[in-house]
Amino acid sequence: MSAQEQIRVSAQTAEPIVDRGGGNLKWRHFKGTLLTVFGWLSVIFGLGVLLILILDVISKSTGIFSGGTNWLTWDFFNNFDSRFPQRAGAKAAIVGTLYTISLTILFSFPLGVAAAIYLEEYAHDNWFSRLVEINVSNLAAVPSIIYGLLGLQVFARWLLLGRSILTGALTLALLVVPIIIVASRESIRAVPLSLRQASYALGATRWQTVWYVVLPQSIGGILTGSILAVSRAIGETAPLITIGALTFVPFLPRNILDIFTVLPIQIFNWTSRPQDEFRALASAGILVLLTILLTINALAIYLRNRYQKRY
């Protein structure tokens, strides 16, 4: 058989294969389009449900749609909790939330960033460092109630801190430190190796390289991950209830060793009462807590866009 005949036979046998490939390609495009449509419908459905819930909370707390009572007034921010809904407010819960979250940031941020720097820049690749990495990743997915039990035993009982703001802040710090470590490691790892090598070539030490090169380049991702971790801590209720945070506090805490309450626990307390007025107060508390969370998330987006480096 000549070379031309061989080419002709090969072309004839290849034609059905090309046709089958085209059919498979069309089927794959169809499945891709179908999944895209399904994904968009899921997003629209989720956002629609979220919008309905937010509008319902706004309506119950302000009466803007139903013409009811507006509970989101200055008295709500300036009064303490009461068994009478007309006198009840969230002053102690708001102040307790600010106290607790401030201390949580103070304890968790330096510890998480320092641990991430050590694991990425100083730790050797051995069994111990791998064991630490595995445990950090696992701790980031542990349910929050477990941290509440740990905080109750270690901080409240062993260290004799009781049901104080310090106990709540340390418990929430344990909750968010693994998340901060994971986010900070990813940001540090994203810094190009060439920048480190250039710093070493100029005679800088390892710590100088970390402080003047790696951290400035990764600070955007570190701050974003840390703020999102803290925003999770703001909405946590289970660990604080476990350590014994109170549901009724008619005074402001005098120091970090005083008893306290926070907005999620105050909302839980109001929703458990039978009167409809307390449910409206709970909606007002939800709206305040949601505003705080959205503000923190907006700050995280701003910091990410402000400090994001492109290589």
Short mmCIF file of all heavy atoms in Angstrom, two decimals, residues 56-58 60-62 71-72 76 81 85 88-90 263-273 275-290:
data_model
loop_
_atom_site.label_atom_id
_atom_site.label_comp_id
_atom_site.label_asym_id
_atom_site.label_seq_id
_atom_site.Cartn_x
_atom_site.Cartn_y
_atom_site.Cartn_z
N ASP A 56 -37.91 41.40 57.21
CA ASP A 56 -38.78 41.03 58.32
C ASP A 56 -38.22 41.56 59.64
O ASP A 56 -38.96 42.07 60.49
CB ASP A 56 -38.91 39.50 58.37
CG ASP A 56 -39.82 39.05 59.50
OD1 ASP A 56 -41.03 39.37 59.45
OD2 ASP A 56 -39.33 38.40 60.43
N VAL A 57 -36.89 41.46 59.82
CA VAL A 57 -36.26 41.98 61.04
C VAL A 57 -36.42 43.50 61.11
O VAL A 57 -36.74 44.06 62.16
CB VAL A 57 -34.77 41.58 61.08
CG1 VAL A 57 -34.04 42.34 62.18
CG2 VAL A 57 -34.64 40.08 61.29
N ILE A 58 -36.21 44.19 59.99
CA ILE A 58 -36.36 45.64 59.96
C ILE A 58 -37.80 46.05 60.26
O ILE A 58 -38.06 47.01 61.00
CB ILE A 58 -35.91 46.20 58.59
CG1 ILE A 58 -34.41 45.99 58.40
CG2 ILE A 58 -36.25 47.68 58.47
CD1 ILE A 58 -33.91 46.38 57.03
N LYS A 60 -40.08 44.36 62.03
CA LYS A 60 -40.44 44.13 63.42
C LYS A 60 -39.76 45.11 64.36
O LYS A 60 -40.34 45.47 65.40
CB LYS A 60 -40.08 42.70 63.81
CG LYS A 60 -40.96 41.64 63.16
CD LYS A 60 -40.55 40.24 63.61
CE LYS A 60 -41.45 39.18 62.98
NZ LYS A 60 -41.07 37.81 63.38
N SER A 61 -38.55 45.53 64.04
CA SER A 61 -37.81 46.39 64.96
C SER A 61 -38.15 47.86 64.81
O SER A 61 -38.10 48.61 65.78
CB SER A 61 -36.30 46.19 64.76
OG SER A 61 -35.93 46.50 63.42
N THR A 62 -38.50 48.28 63.61
CA THR A 62 -38.78 49.70 63.37
C THR A 62 -40.24 49.99 63.03
O THR A 62 -40.67 51.14 63.13
CB THR A 62 -37.90 50.23 62.23
OG1 THR A 62 -38.22 49.54 61.01
CG2 THR A 62 -36.42 50.03 62.54
N TRP A 71 -38.87 50.21 67.91
CA TRP A 71 -38.11 49.86 69.09
C TRP A 71 -36.65 50.27 69.01
O TRP A 71 -35.94 50.23 70.01
CB TRP A 71 -38.20 48.35 69.33
CG TRP A 71 -39.57 47.87 69.59
CD1 TRP A 71 -40.47 47.40 68.68
CD2 TRP A 71 -40.24 47.84 70.85
NE1 TRP A 71 -41.65 47.07 69.30
CE2 TRP A 71 -41.54 47.33 70.64
CE3 TRP A 71 -39.87 48.20 72.15
CZ2 TRP A 71 -42.45 47.16 71.67
CZ3 TRP A 71 -40.78 48.02 73.18
CH2 TRP A 71 -42.05 47.51 72.95
N LEU A 72 -36.19 50.66 67.84
CA LEU A 72 -34.79 51.02 67.65
C LEU A 72 -34.63 52.52 67.92
O LEU A 72 -34.40 53.32 67.02
CB LEU A 72 -34.33 50.65 66.24
CG LEU A 72 -32.83 50.50 66.02
CD1 LEU A 72 -32.28 49.36 66.86
CD2 LEU A 72 -32.53 50.25 64.55
N PHE A 76 -33.32 52.35 73.52
CA PHE A 76 -32.82 50.99 73.31
C PHE A 76 -31.32 50.92 73.55
O PHE A 76 -30.80 49.93 74.10
CB PHE A 76 -33.16 50.54 71.89
CG PHE A 76 -32.63 49.18 71.53
CD1 PHE A 76 -33.31 48.03 71.90
CD2 PHE A 76 -31.43 49.05 70.82
CE1 PHE A 76 -32.81 46.78 71.58
CE2 PHE A 76 -30.94 47.80 70.49
CZ PHE A 76 -31.64 46.67 70.87
N ASP A 81 -31.44 46.10 80.49
CA ASP A 81 -32.52 45.15 80.30
C ASP A 81 -33.52 45.26 81.45
O ASP A 81 -33.17 45.64 82.58
CB ASP A 81 -31.95 43.73 80.23
CG ASP A 81 -32.99 42.74 79.72
OD1 ASP A 81 -34.02 43.19 79.17
OD2 ASP A 81 -32.76 41.53 79.87
N PRO A 85 -40.93 45.39 78.61
CA PRO A 85 -40.34 45.63 77.29
C PRO A 85 -40.21 47.10 76.95
O PRO A 85 -39.29 47.49 76.22
CB PRO A 85 -41.31 44.91 76.34
CG PRO A 85 -42.58 44.75 77.10
CD PRO A 85 -42.19 44.63 78.53
N ALA A 88 -36.88 48.13 78.45
CA ALA A 88 -35.72 47.29 78.18
C ALA A 88 -34.82 47.90 77.11
O ALA A 88 -35.30 48.53 76.16
CB ALA A 88 -36.16 45.89 77.76
N GLY A 89 -33.52 47.71 77.28
CA GLY A 89 -32.54 48.16 76.30
C GLY A 89 -31.35 47.21 76.26
O GLY A 89 -31.28 46.23 77.00
N ALA A 90 -30.40 47.54 75.40
CA ALA A 90 -29.25 46.65 75.18
C ALA A 90 -27.94 47.33 75.53
O ALA A 90 -26.90 46.97 74.99
CB ALA A 90 -29.24 46.20 73.72
N LEU A 263 -24.43 40.81 73.01
CA LEU A 263 -25.63 40.94 72.18
C LEU A 263 -26.25 39.59 71.79
O LEU A 263 -27.48 39.45 71.86
CB LEU A 263 -25.30 41.75 70.93
CG LEU A 263 -25.47 43.27 71.05
CD1 LEU A 263 -24.97 43.97 69.80
CD2 LEU A 263 -26.91 43.64 71.32
N PRO A 264 -25.48 38.59 71.34
CA PRO A 264 -26.14 37.31 70.99
C PRO A 264 -26.89 36.68 72.16
O PRO A 264 -27.98 36.13 71.98
CB PRO A 264 -24.96 36.43 70.53
CG PRO A 264 -23.93 37.39 70.07
CD PRO A 264 -24.06 38.57 70.97
N ILE A 265 -26.32 36.77 73.37
CA ILE A 265 -27.01 36.20 74.54
C ILE A 265 -28.23 37.04 74.89
O ILE A 265 -29.28 36.50 75.27
CB ILE A 265 -26.04 36.12 75.73
CG1 ILE A 265 -24.93 35.12 75.43
CG2 ILE A 265 -26.77 35.74 77.00
CD1 ILE A 265 -23.93 34.97 76.54
N GLN A 266 -28.13 38.36 74.76
CA GLN A 266 -29.29 39.22 75.03
C GLN A 266 -30.42 38.93 74.04
O GLN A 266 -31.60 38.88 74.42
CB GLN A 266 -28.88 40.68 74.92
CG GLN A 266 -29.96 41.66 75.33
CD GLN A 266 -30.29 41.58 76.80
OE1 GLN A 266 -29.52 42.02 77.65
NE2 GLN A 266 -31.44 41.01 77.13
N ILE A 267 -30.07 38.73 72.78
CA ILE A 267 -31.08 38.38 71.77
C ILE A 267 -31.71 37.04 72.10
O ILE A 267 -32.94 36.87 72.00
CB ILE A 267 -30.43 38.37 70.38
CG1 ILE A 267 -29.99 39.79 69.99
CG2 ILE A 267 -31.38 37.81 69.33
CD1 ILE A 267 -29.12 39.84 68.75
N PHE A 268 -30.88 36.08 72.50
CA PHE A 268 -31.41 34.76 72.90
C PHE A 268 -32.38 34.89 74.07
O PHE A 268 -33.41 34.22 74.11
CB PHE A 268 -30.24 33.84 73.24
CG PHE A 268 -30.64 32.56 73.90
CD1 PHE A 268 -31.18 31.52 73.14
CD2 PHE A 268 -30.51 32.38 75.27
CE1 PHE A 268 -31.55 30.33 73.74
CE2 PHE A 268 -30.88 31.20 75.87
CZ PHE A 268 -31.41 30.17 75.11
N ASN A 269 -32.06 35.74 75.02
CA ASN A 269 -32.92 35.93 76.18
C ASN A 269 -34.26 36.53 75.78
O ASN A 269 -35.32 36.10 76.24
CB ASN A 269 -32.21 36.84 77.19
CG ASN A 269 -33.03 37.07 78.45
OD1 ASN A 269 -33.80 36.21 78.87
ND2 ASN A 269 -32.88 38.25 79.04
N TRP A 270 -34.23 37.52 74.89
CA TRP A 270 -35.49 38.15 74.48
C TRP A 270 -36.36 37.21 73.65
O TRP A 270 -37.58 37.22 73.78
CB TRP A 270 -35.18 39.42 73.69
CG TRP A 270 -34.79 40.57 74.57
CD1 TRP A 270 -35.10 40.75 75.87
CD2 TRP A 270 -34.00 41.71 74.20
NE1 TRP A 270 -34.57 41.93 76.35
CE2 TRP A 270 -33.89 42.54 75.35
CE3 TRP A 270 -33.38 42.11 73.02
CZ2 TRP A 270 -33.19 43.73 75.34
CZ3 TRP A 270 -32.68 43.30 73.01
CH2 TRP A 270 -32.58 44.11 74.16
N THR A 271 -35.76 36.43 72.79
CA THR A 271 -36.57 35.52 71.96
C THR A 271 -37.19 34.39 72.77
O THR A 271 -38.17 33.78 72.34
CB THR A 271 -35.70 34.91 70.85
OG1 THR A 271 -34.55 34.27 71.43
CG2 THR A 271 -35.25 35.96 69.86
N SER A 272 -36.63 34.10 73.95
CA SER A 272 -37.19 33.03 74.78
C SER A 272 -38.37 33.49 75.62
O SER A 272 -39.01 32.66 76.28
CB SER A 272 -36.09 32.46 75.70
OG SER A 272 -35.61 33.45 76.58
N ARG A 273 -38.66 34.78 75.63
CA ARG A 273 -39.79 35.29 76.41
C ARG A 273 -41.07 35.26 75.59
O ARG A 273 -41.04 35.39 74.36
CB ARG A 273 -39.50 36.72 76.88
CG ARG A 273 -38.28 36.81 77.80
CD ARG A 273 -38.12 38.18 78.39
NE ARG A 273 -36.92 38.28 79.22
CZ ARG A 273 -36.58 39.36 79.91
NH1 ARG A 273 -37.35 40.45 79.85
NH2 ARG A 273 -35.48 39.36 80.63
N GLN A 275 -43.73 37.34 75.40
CA GLN A 275 -44.37 38.55 74.89
C GLN A 275 -43.84 38.90 73.48
O GLN A 275 -42.65 38.77 73.19
CB GLN A 275 -44.12 39.74 75.82
CG GLN A 275 -44.73 39.57 77.20
CD GLN A 275 -43.74 38.98 78.18
OE1 GLN A 275 -42.87 38.21 77.79
NE2 GLN A 275 -43.90 39.32 79.45
N ASP A 276 -44.75 39.38 72.65
CA ASP A 276 -44.37 39.80 71.30
C ASP A 276 -43.45 41.01 71.31
O ASP A 276 -42.64 41.20 70.40
CB ASP A 276 -45.63 40.11 70.48
CG ASP A 276 -46.46 38.86 70.20
OD1 ASP A 276 -45.88 37.76 70.21
OD2 ASP A 276 -47.68 39.00 70.00
N GLU A 277 -43.59 41.86 72.33
CA GLU A 277 -42.73 43.05 72.41
C GLU A 277 -41.26 42.66 72.55
O GLU A 277 -40.38 43.32 71.98
CB GLU A 277 -43.16 43.92 73.59
CG GLU A 277 -44.50 44.60 73.42
CD GLU A 277 -45.65 43.68 73.81
OE1 GLU A 277 -45.36 42.52 74.18
OE2 GLU A 277 -46.81 44.12 73.74
N PHE A 278 -40.98 41.60 73.31
CA PHE A 278 -39.59 41.17 73.46
C PHE A 278 -39.04 40.59 72.15
O PHE A 278 -37.85 40.71 71.87
CB PHE A 278 -39.48 40.15 74.58
CG PHE A 278 -39.47 40.77 75.95
CD1 PHE A 278 -40.53 40.57 76.81
CD2 PHE A 278 -38.40 41.55 76.38
CE1 PHE A 278 -40.53 41.14 78.08
CE2 PHE A 278 -38.40 42.12 77.64
CZ PHE A 278 -39.47 41.92 78.49
N ARG A 279 -39.89 39.98 71.37
CA ARG A 279 -39.44 39.51 70.06
C ARG A 279 -39.09 40.68 69.16
O ARG A 279 -38.15 40.61 68.36
CB ARG A 279 -40.51 38.63 69.43
CG ARG A 279 -40.78 37.34 70.19
CD ARG A 279 -41.64 36.38 69.37
NE ARG A 279 -41.94 35.18 70.12
CZ ARG A 279 -43.00 34.99 70.87
NH1 ARG A 279 -43.90 35.97 70.99
NH2 ARG A 279 -43.21 33.87 71.52
N ALA A 280 -39.85 41.77 69.27
CA ALA A 280 -39.52 42.97 68.50
C ALA A 280 -38.19 43.56 68.99
O ALA A 280 -37.37 44.03 68.19
CB ALA A 280 -40.64 44.00 68.63
N LEU A 281 -37.96 43.52 70.31
CA LEU A 281 -36.67 43.97 70.84
C LEU A 281 -35.53 43.08 70.33
O LEU A 281 -34.44 43.56 70.03
CB LEU A 281 -36.70 43.96 72.37
CG LEU A 281 -37.43 45.12 73.06
CD1 LEU A 281 -37.55 44.84 74.56
CD2 LEU A 281 -36.70 46.43 72.82
N ALA A 282 -35.81 41.78 70.26
CA ALA A 282 -34.79 40.87 69.71
C ALA A 282 -34.48 41.21 68.26
O ALA A 282 -33.32 41.14 67.83
CB ALA A 282 -35.28 39.43 69.83
N SER A 283 -35.48 41.59 67.49
CA SER A 283 -35.24 42.01 66.11
C SER A 283 -34.38 43.26 66.05
O SER A 283 -33.49 43.38 65.19
CB SER A 283 -36.58 42.27 65.41
OG SER A 283 -37.36 41.08 65.36
N ALA A 284 -34.60 44.19 66.98
CA ALA A 284 -33.75 45.38 67.04
C ALA A 284 -32.32 45.01 67.39
O ALA A 284 -31.36 45.55 66.81
CB ALA A 284 -34.31 46.37 68.06
N GLY A 285 -32.14 44.08 68.33
CA GLY A 285 -30.80 43.62 68.65
C GLY A 285 -30.13 42.91 67.48
O GLY A 285 -28.92 43.08 67.25
N ILE A 286 -30.90 42.12 66.75
CA ILE A 286 -30.36 41.46 65.56
C ILE A 286 -29.90 42.49 64.53
O ILE A 286 -28.84 42.34 63.90
CB ILE A 286 -31.41 40.51 64.96
CG1 ILE A 286 -31.67 39.33 65.89
CG2 ILE A 286 -30.97 40.01 63.59
CD1 ILE A 286 -32.82 38.46 65.48
N LEU A 287 -30.69 43.54 64.37
CA LEU A 287 -30.32 44.58 63.41
C LEU A 287 -29.03 45.29 63.82
O LEU A 287 -28.17 45.57 62.97
CB LEU A 287 -31.47 45.58 63.28
CG LEU A 287 -31.46 46.50 62.06
CD1 LEU A 287 -31.49 45.69 60.78
CD2 LEU A 287 -32.63 47.46 62.12
N VAL A 288 -28.86 45.56 65.11
CA VAL A 288 -27.63 46.18 65.58
C VAL A 288 -26.44 45.25 65.38
O VAL A 288 -25.36 45.66 64.90
CB VAL A 288 -27.77 46.57 67.07
CG1 VAL A 288 -26.43 47.06 67.62
CG2 VAL A 288 -28.83 47.64 67.23
N LEU A 289 -26.60 43.98 65.74
CA LEU A 289 -25.53 43.01 65.57
C LEU A 289 -25.18 42.82 64.10
O LEU A 289 -24.00 42.73 63.73
CB LEU A 289 -25.95 41.68 66.20
CG LEU A 289 -24.90 40.56 66.19
CD1 LEU A 289 -23.67 40.97 66.98
CD2 LEU A 289 -25.49 39.27 66.76
N LEU A 290 -26.20 42.80 63.24
CA LEU A 290 -25.95 42.66 61.81
C LEU A 290 -25.21 43.87 61.26
O LEU A 290 -24.33 43.74 60.40
CB LEU A 290 -27.29 42.48 61.08
CG LEU A 290 -27.22 42.19 59.58
CD1 LEU A 290 -26.49 40.88 59.32
CD2 LEU A 290 -28.63 42.12 59.00
#
